[in-house]
Amino acid sequence: MKKLVIICALVGATFAQAQAQRQGNRERDPEKMAERMSQRMGEKLDLTSEQESQLKNLFIEDANKRKEIEEARKAEMKAAKENHREQLEAILSPEQLEKWEAERKEMGDKMRERRKRRRGPNE
């Protein structure tokens, strides 16, 4: 029984390590990703070099547009949070606001602790 538990633990650790390495190796550079994707499509679809070049440009343009949209969303969310904060300050007294912030911090700490326990000690 002990051997079975040890073997299961080793197999599980091996899979966890492999998954972590795969996630760490993902390319984040849009140019490299576009190059790789256009080459892969070129091989699979028998594309001309002109088509590959056009696809690469399309993928780069698309990645840049998505990045702009993401940045705009972040700015919009930041503005919404600031607006919410201003409204809270208008409604609550300074003491109530301080108490509310302490409560939120405590809830956030508990949530982080639960996530940490769920993920395990190595993450």
Side-chain angles (χ1 to χ4, degrees):
M1 184 67 175
K2 271 186 172 180
K3 289 180 183 180
L4 181 61
V5 171
I6 291 171
I7 290 171
C8 287
L10 288 173
V11 170
T14 302
F15 282 117
Q17 181 65 26
Q19 181 67 22
Q21 285 179 350
R22 266 188 255 129
Q23 289 177 349
N25 290 339
R26 289 187 181 152
E27 293 180 13
R28 301 280 187 226
D29 182 28
E31 297 239 355
K32 288 181 182 177
M33 288 173 50
E35 177 72 32
R36 190 170 35 109
M37 190 67 164
S38 61
Q39 283 178 350
R40 184 180 300 156
M41 287 180 73
E43 293 168 4
K44 301 267 184 190
L45 303 175
D46 195 29
L47 301 177
T48 66
S49 59
E50 182 181 341
Q51 288 175 314
E52 276 188 50
S53 176
Q54 290 173 342
L55 281 175
K56 180 181 174 185
N57 291 335
L58 175 68
F59 292 139
I60 291 172
E61 183 180 317
D62 187 51
N64 289 334
K65 284 180 185 178
R66 284 193 313 265
K67 186 177 180 180
E68 288 175 15
I69 290 169
E70 184 179 331
E71 289 172 358
R73 281 190 192 147
K74 284 181 183 179
E76 186 177 327
M77 286 300 295
K78 185 177 180 181
K81 283 181 180 181
E82 288 174 7
N83 183 30
H84 180 75
R85 170 73 182 187
E86 290 171 2
Q87 290 177 345
L88 276 177
E89 288 175 352
I91 296 169
L92 301 177
S93 71
E95 295 82 19
Q96 290 169 327
L97 188 60
E98 187 176 318
K99 191 173 180 180
W100 171 247
E101 287 175 348
E103 179 72 22
R104 287 197 55 201
K105 183 183 181 319
E106 185 180 327
M107 287 187 298
D109 291 344
K110 285 180 182 179
M111 184 185 290
R112 277 187 287 283
E113 185 60 35
R114 278 192 298 250
R115 271 194 230 130
K116 194 182 289 184
R117 277 186 276 150
R118 206 174 23 205
R119 289 182 185 156
N122 295 334
E123 291 187 37

